[in-house]
Amino acid sequence: MQKLGDTTDKQTSIAIGVQNGASNVGFNRVPSSSRRTNGKVSVLPLVFLIFYGVSGGPFGVEDTVHAAGPLLALIGFLVFPLIWSVPEALITAEMGTMFPEDGGYVIWVSSALGEYWGFQIGWMKWLSGVIDNALYPVMFLDYVKSAIPALSGGLPRVGATLGLAAILTYINYRGLTIVGWVAVLLGVLSLLPFGVMGFIAIPKLRPKRWLVVDLHNVDWNLYLNTLFWNLNYWDGISTLTGEMDNPKKTLPKALFYALIVVVSGYFFPLLIGTGAIPLNRDLWTDGYFSDVAKLVGGVWLRVWIQVAAAMATIGMFETEMSGDSFQLLGMAERGMLPAFFAKRSRYGTPLVGILFSASGVILLSWLSFEEIVAAENFLYCFGMILEFISFIRLRIKYPAASRPFKIPVGTVGSILLCIPPTISIGAVLAFSSLKVAGISLVAVVIGLVMQPCLKHVEKKKWLKFSENSDLPDPLRGAAHETTETLFH
């Protein structure tokens, strides 16, 4: 990725830097000793890395029943993946194999729309990730409050939230991340108790309970935001493309298998929970699956579910914070942020990025679960709009560029593919509260202003910026043609 002031013949240059553990060499930088991990991630570990990036288990889906009842909740987790998850996963597979390096969506948008918009998606996705991470301490406490009622509210809950965030941040600082076979192990342990619960619940299932619906009593804002939050972030795995074993083959396969695991991991626990016990929508809030487990199998099953939930939320927190902080490091190594964001601790972790990400988590901990989800979704929607535009623009501008995995549609098909998720984005934004919309729009405006301000700071040399002077450009050899057919 070249700076805005570079010559026009380099405007399409892309930073193929490494976000997670690797580093580009800037003009005044000492090469990092941790450029890349020795091992490569194969299909099975990659499936569960995607699983943790998108889902982590059915923890947090309970609000769909609270908002809309069993029938719409079940339909939502079958239909919404077709509208949103499948298009996003397909675009991630095409773009990720087109740019098989760490950096992901920042590279896609920078190559299609320029560094300014690459910075914007980096800002929005980072902030969205920080907001997302503010959820996990909240979810963790929601699952243990039935065992420790004092954590239900007040100062004990606030103290526990801040303490948990601090402990997990320190673990992240020490370099603990969920990768490879550890992700496989944690994923299995998170889903296994639901399989056991399903087996025990078979005699108690009443199919008529699944058909309950009241269209006059639906909280569409909560319903759509919960679906959206639980079924997005498929593009997050793109920042690890350079760490994959033969990403041109493993990434599309892993996305396909992960889609099956994620949707099944949501649908079947909901099927069990809503079919095995009498419906009380007011009780179906985040953390309720542990109560369902107690009703179905007893206290031992509730404890198992709570342990699984704790493991899942901790795993998601660590993974998210690692990705967020390394993203800041990667942007700094491309000259998009001051060089101090690229400093590493003695453990090789991005200390400043971790501190910034942790500060955001703590500052946002006062928001409710619903408000956190809505604010995160709002920002994520803006970022996805940039991704869709970049996907279509690259299809039109560089039809001859190498795409090891190419969605079998032409230009018109590419546009049509983006229409359903764009409509979903419109619905999520339309149902957002004024409070969430206001906070999110202020955040977007901050990003729009921040980038030129940082350029001014760099020009005045008030802060040090570094950038690799010889970044590779995968599009350099692609013929700039516009002869791609509309339908093939």
Side-chain angles (χ1 to χ4, degrees):
M1 182 182 303
Q2 303 295 322
K3 292 184 176 293
L4 290 178
D6 287 351
T7 54
T8 55
D9 64 324
K10 293 184 179 181
Q11 287 179 348
T12 59
S13 293
I14 309 162
I16 310 298
V18 179
Q19 289 185 354
N20 295 283
S23 64
N24 290 326
V25 183
F27 294 129
N28 301 306
R29 304 186 75 85
V30 176
S32 169
S33 61
S34 55
R35 284 186 59 84
R36 179 169 294 183
T37 56
N38 293 326
K40 291 286 187 176
V41 182
S42 58
V43 173
L44 182 59
L46 187 57
V47 168
F48 281 90
L49 285 171
I50 298 171
F51 169 76
Y52 266 107
V54 176
S55 169
F59 314 106
V61 305
E62 297 98 330
D63 275 318
T64 56
V65 180
H66 177 73
L71 182 61
L72 289 182
L74 293 169
I75 291 175
F77 280 104
L78 289 179
V79 174
F80 202 76
L82 299 176
I83 298 173
W84 178 263
S85 300
V86 170
E88 188 183 4
L90 286 172
I91 291 172
T92 298
E94 177 169 320
M95 302 288 277
T97 55
M98 184 179 178
F99 301 98
E101 294 286 341
D102 298 328
Y105 39 75
V106 175
I107 296 175
W108 311 345
V109 175
S110 296
S111 63
L113 305 176
E115 184 184 307
Y116 179 81
W117 293 108
F119 178 91
Q120 299 310 315
I121 194 170
W123 160 250
M124 285 185 282
K125 287 298 185 77
W126 174 80
L127 189 56
S128 175
V130 170
I131 295 172
D132 184 48
N133 239 9
L135 278 172
Y136 299 130
V138 173
M139 291 176 63
F140 177 88
L141 295 176
D142 281 336
Y143 271 94
V144 300
K145 68 184 180 184
S146 57
I148 310 175
L151 298 179
S152 298
L155 289 178
R157 183 178 178 89
V158 173
T161 300
L162 298 180
L164 182 62
I167 292 171
L168 295 181
T169 298
Y170 177 73
I171 294 173
N172 201 273
Y173 163 73
R174 292 296 300 264
L176 179 63
T177 56
I178 298 178
V179 291
W181 294 105
V182 174
V184 176
L185 175 63
L186 291 174
V188 171
L189 292 177
S190 296
L191 294 174
L192 184 59
F194 290 96
V196 174
M197 185 170 71
F199 180 77
I200 297 173
I202 290 175
K204 302 178 181 181
L205 293 178
R206 302 293 183 268
K208 65 179 181 180
R209 293 172 177 163
W210 298 328
L211 305 178
V212 177
V213 62
D214 182 3
L215 295 178
H216 299 290
N217 184 23
V218 176
D219 184 343
W220 292 107
N221 181 31
L222 178 58
Y223 176 69
L224 291 174
N225 271 302
T226 305
L227 283 174
F228 189 79
W229 176 66
N230 280 288
L231 290 165
N232 62 19
Y233 278 92
W234 295 92
D235 58 335
I237 196 62
S238 65
T239 60
L240 290 174
T241 309
E243 313 304 315
M244 300 175 192
D245 180 20
N246 192 7
K248 296 177 181 180
K249 292 184 178 181
T250 57
L251 179 58
K253 287 181 181 179
L255 284 164
F256 174 74
Y257 296 136
L259 183 67
I260 296 174
V261 174
V262 168
V263 174
S264 300
Y266 287 145
F267 183 78
F268 288 107
L270 275 177
L271 200 69
I272 297 163
T274 56
I277 63 174
L279 176 65
N280 185 339
R281 282 177 56 177
D282 291 336
L283 297 177
W284 278 87
T285 57
D286 51 293
Y288 185 60
F289 264 125
S290 62
D291 295 326
V292 173
K294 180 182 178 182
L295 294 172
V296 171
V299 175
W300 66 273
L301 187 56
R302 181 183 73 173
V303 172
W304 193 2
I305 292 287
Q306 289 172 338
V307 171
M311 295 176 63
T313 53
I314 289 173
M316 289 185 287
F317 185 99
E318 296 293 348
T319 302
E320 185 69 66
M321 178 166 283
S322 178
D324 294 342
S325 55
F326 271 102
Q327 180 183 322
L328 295 180
L329 181 146
M331 292 175 70
E333 290 177 338
R334 297 181 186 94
M336 301 171 79
L337 291 174
F340 61 78
F341 277 99
K343 292 184 65 175
R344 296 173 184 265
S345 71
R346 58 177 175 166
Y347 303 106
T349 50
L351 176 59
V352 176
I354 288 174
L355 292 176
F356 266 73
S357 299
S359 299
V361 169
I362 293 172
L363 290 172
L364 291 165
S365 62
W366 58 273
L367 291 171
S368 70
F369 181 92
E370 292 81 5
E371 288 171 333
I372 292 174
V373 170
E376 177 206 347
N377 287 346
F378 204 100
L379 289 171
Y380 188 82
C381 285
F382 282 115
M384 287 309 305
I385 289 172
L386 288 176
E387 284 189 30
F388 294 152
I389 293 173
S390 300
F391 166 65
I392 294 170
R393 180 170 172 80
L394 288 173
R395 272 296 190 102
I396 295 173
K397 191 175 182 180
Y398 295 100
S402 175
R403 293 174 172 85
F405 175 88
K406 184 177 181 180
I407 305 170
V409 294
T411 302
V412 171
S414 300
I415 296 172
L416 293 176
L417 181 70
C418 294
I419 290 177
T422 302
I423 293 174
S424 301
I425 287 174
V428 170
L429 296 179
F431 282 105
S432 295
S433 68
L434 291 177
K435 177 182 178 180
V436 168
I439 294 174
S440 302
L441 288 174
V442 168
V444 171
V445 171
I446 290 173
L448 295 175
V449 175
M450 187 188 304
Q451 200 271 352
C453 287
L454 286 173
K455 288 297 176 183
H456 182 72
V457 169
E458 180 184 12
K459 183 178 180 181
K460 294 293 185 179
K461 298 183 179 181
W462 293 338
L463 290 174
K464 180 183 177 182
F465 286 72
S466 298
E467 183 183 19
N468 191 332
S469 60
D470 189 27
L471 298 174
D473 181 3
L475 297 180
R476 191 180 298 279
H480 190 123
E481 302 173 4
T482 57
T483 57
E484 182 183 24
T485 62
L486 290 178
F487 301 101
H488 300 287

